[in-house]
Amino acid sequence: MSTTFYSNGKLLISGEYLVLDGADAFALPTKFGQNLIVENTKDKIIDWKSYDYDDALWFENTISFDEIINNTDSEIETVKTTLINILHEAYLLNPDFINNSEGYKITTNLTFPRKWGLGTSSTLINNIAQWTRINAFTLLKNSFGGSGYDIACAQNDTPILYKIENNNVQPVDFNPDFTKNIFFVYLNKKQNSKTAIHAYNTHKGQNLVKSVAENNKITNTILHSKTLKEFAQAIERHENHLSNILEIQTIKEKAFPDFNGSIKSLGAWGGDFVMVLSKENPFAYFQSKGYETILTYEEMIL
């Protein structure tokens, strides 16, 4: 007998970086996600296999219960050591899943390519938290760190407004007429969130209260935009706001200056997906630039 857990992927539309300092973050759970299937076995081990969206096995290993309990420090970070660390933190929060078990066979399955950056880690952490009956936000904090908006997306099936204080999640109504003009383009580069956050902490400066207030004002406009023009103006304002804080060019300035429409970085700047607003179908433009992965709003968002 097996038990299956599932978590949604995520896209952060507004509040990137500043969410760490208390700003409002508008995020969208995606149709893509990851499941985790648990079967009981024996020998005090976990036989773990992880599959990509195309059923390709990308990770396989055996982890002993002792490795999870002791979590011996390793100088080299690998997929296995990272997984052991997550399971160890789960064990500290609720040891019953180890103490009251003889062993497990665990299989994970992504429904999106691992390189896309839609939440391989956050969906895993939320699934492990569901399985071990612990708080996913606490598990994230104790293992990977981060704001927690991705965990909120993993747990919700509607657009959300998220605040890091008390992991506050507020479902919001976002279903404008212009979703047909919203597209998501993969930049052929997976971004490292930890590196991006370090860069933000280096550049965020002393005007955090003002920066957070400006973010919240723009986010409110984004959420309540009635027309594509109003939405695009708010998106561009948000891009320029973050560009000034991070002291780097916007993605449109850097890579797509001749595009007739608006482009916004999502999450960690410089990789993963961007959101594109266009009156016309933008597929030909981006394909001519070498970007083949282009999804409509309907294809991406729950």
Side-chain angles (χ1 to χ4, degrees), residues 29 63 171 173 186 204 225 230-231 241 260 284 297 300:
I63 301 170
D173 182 23
Y186 180 63
K204 62 185 179 183
S225 294
E230 186 182 3
F231 187 70
H241 181 52
N260 184 22
Y297 187 93
M300 177 70 87

Side-chain angles (χ1 to χ4, degrees), residues 139-165:
L139 181 58
L140 176 75
K141 180 180 178 181
N142 294 354
S143 56
F144 269 65
S147 69
Y149 89 88
D150 46 4
I151 297 297
C153 283
Q155 298 177 353
N156 285 271
D157 294 333
T158 63
I160 61 168
L161 195 63
Y162 176 79
K163 290 180 80 76
I164 194 171
E165 185 178 2

Side-chain angles (χ1 to χ4, degrees), residues 63-89 91-92:
I63 301 170
S64 71
F65 280 12
D66 285 342
E67 286 178 297
I68 294 170
I69 294 169
N70 298 321
N71 191 28
T72 305
D73 288 336
S74 174
E75 294 182 3
I76 301 175
E77 185 176 344
T78 65
V79 174
K80 181 177 180 178
T81 60
T82 299
L83 182 55
I84 289 173
N85 183 55
I86 296 170
L87 294 170
H88 174 72
E89 294 298 338
Y91 170 78
L92 294 179

Side-chain angles (χ1 to χ4, degrees), residues 38-56:
V38 181
E39 299 176 60
N40 293 317
T41 58
K42 53 186 179 181
D43 298 328
K44 300 291 183 178
I45 62 169
I46 298 180
D47 178 21
W48 193 290
K49 292 182 179 179
S50 293
Y51 293 88
D52 213 331
Y53 77 107
D54 57 359
D55 293 327

Side-chain angles (χ1 to χ4, degrees), residues 9-302:
K10 47 70 179 180
L11 284 175
L12 184 59
I13 306 301
S14 78
E16 61 267 31
Y17 300 109
L18 288 165
V19 63
L20 294 162
D21 290 303
D24 292 341
F26 171 41
L28 298 172
T30 68
K31 287 182 177 177
F32 303 99
Q34 181 171 209
N35 68 25
L36 182 146
I37 303 169
V38 181
E39 299 176 60
N40 293 317
T41 58
K42 53 186 179 181
D43 298 328
K44 300 291 183 178
I45 62 169
I46 298 180
D47 178 21
W48 193 290
K49 292 182 179 179
S50 293
Y51 293 88
D52 213 331
Y53 77 107
D54 57 359
D55 293 327
L57 181 67
W58 69 269
F59 174 74
E60 179 180 16
N61 220 309
T62 299
I63 301 170
S64 71
F65 280 12
D66 285 342
E67 286 178 297
I68 294 170
I69 294 169
N70 298 321
N71 191 28
T72 305
D73 288 336
S74 174
E75 294 182 3
I76 301 175
E77 185 176 344
T78 65
V79 174
K80 181 177 180 178
T81 60
T82 299
L83 182 55
I84 289 173
N85 183 55
I86 296 170
L87 294 170
H88 174 72
E89 294 298 338
Y91 170 78
L92 294 179
L93 292 168
N94 181 14
D96 287 353
F97 81 98
I98 293 295
N99 294 345
N100 298 336
S101 173
E102 291 301 313
Y104 299 102
K105 175 184 176 184
I106 292 182
T107 306
T108 69
N109 301 276
L110 287 164
T111 65
F112 60 91
R114 191 161 54 99
K115 64 182 181 180
W116 276 10
L118 292 181
T120 306
S121 299
S122 57
T123 53
L124 173 66
I125 286 173
N126 192 64
N127 283 337
I128 289 175
Q130 291 181 81
W131 163 44
T132 60
R133 299 182 181 182
I134 59 176
N135 186 293
F137 292 103
T138 304
L139 181 58
L140 176 75
K141 180 180 178 181
N142 294 354
S143 56
F144 269 65
S147 69
Y149 89 88
D150 46 4
I151 297 297
C153 283
Q155 298 177 353
N156 285 271
D157 294 333
T158 63
I160 61 168
L161 195 63
Y162 176 79
K163 290 180 80 76
I164 194 171
E165 185 178 2
N166 300 319
N167 305 121
N168 184 275
V169 183
Q170 177 185 341
V172 294
D173 182 23
F174 182 77
N175 188 28
D177 294 336
F178 51 80
T179 54
K180 64 182 180 298
N181 301 108
I182 301 176
F183 305 85
F184 300 98
V185 179
Y186 180 63
L187 296 181
N188 303 333
K189 177 185 176 184
K190 188 169 180 8
Q191 184 68 312
N192 186 310
S193 297
K194 289 182 180 179
T195 302
I197 290 170
H198 176 74
Y200 162 71
N201 287 329
T202 302
H203 291 96
K204 62 185 179 183
Q206 303 299 315
N207 296 317
L208 264 180
V209 173
K210 185 177 179 180
S211 295
V212 168
E214 176 67 7
N215 171 89
N216 294 352
K217 186 176 179 181
I218 298 171
T219 296
N220 186 63
T221 302
I222 290 171
L223 278 172
H224 296 97
S225 294
K226 300 299 183 184
T227 65
L228 178 63
K229 181 179 179 180
E230 186 182 3
F231 187 70
Q233 288 174 340
I235 289 300
E236 291 170 7
R237 187 173 155 200
H238 194 289
E239 278 287 274
N240 291 330
H241 181 52
L242 261 293
S243 175
N244 291 332
I245 293 173
L246 299 173
E247 298 179 2
I248 59 176
Q249 286 182 301
T250 66
I251 188 62
K252 183 174 181 180
E253 290 171 332
K254 181 179 179 181
F256 311 107
D258 60 338
F259 179 69
N260 184 22
S262 301
I263 304 176
K264 186 185 183 305
S265 295
L266 303 177
W269 279 34
D272 300 330
F273 278 88
V274 293
M275 180 172 67
V276 172
L277 311 180
S278 178
K279 291 182 180 179
E280 308 297 331
N281 189 316
F283 282 47
Y285 173 87
F286 286 100
Q287 287 171 345
S288 73
K289 301 280 187 178
Y291 301 96
E292 297 291 335
T293 303
I294 308 162
L295 285 77
T296 65
Y297 187 93
E298 185 179 7
E299 288 170 330
M300 177 70 87
I301 304 303
L302 276 171

